[in-house]
Amino acid sequence: MITTFFLITVKAGTDQEIIRKLKSYKEISVKEVYEIYGAFDILARIEAESEDKISKVRLNLEEDKDVWSIQVVKVSFEWKKA
């Protein structure tokens, strides 16, 4: 399983709509979503079986007129607190 974080900037007032859209994709598993302040509006932790599935979702979201930008951060190693 591949874990990534999407950092998404959206048109003001469309946060909830974009979060619902993100959670509706069957290709990925959305584990956590946060509405945040700063350079980005949404932070989402996503898991998928392949990078192709992540890319497909990213490309689909980028076509939405209310999504202004998406940064994808891939996790190389996960440290767990003991």
Side-chain angles (χ1 to χ4, degrees), residues 46-64:
I46 294 164
E47 290 183 355
E49 293 179 13
S50 70
E51 289 190 30
D52 288 341
K53 291 182 179 187
I54 294 167
S55 294
K56 181 179 176 183
V57 170
R58 177 188 181 167
L59 290 173
N60 190 282
L61 281 173
E62 286 176 338
E63 292 176 357
D64 190 305

Side-chain angles (χ1 to χ4, degrees), residues 13-31:
T14 63
D15 303 55
Q16 293 294 315
E17 177 184 331
I18 299 303
I19 289 169
R20 278 191 295 278
K21 183 175 184 176
L22 180 64
K23 292 169 79 175
S24 74
Y25 290 108
K26 304 295 183 213
E27 299 90 344
I28 60 171
S29 175
V30 178
K31 297 298 185 182

Side-chain angles (χ1 to χ4, degrees), residues 2-18:
I2 298 169
T3 301
T4 61
F5 288 89
F6 279 12
L7 294 155
I8 307 170
T9 305
V10 299
K11 179 181 174 184
T14 63
D15 303 55
Q16 293 294 315
E17 177 184 331
I18 299 303

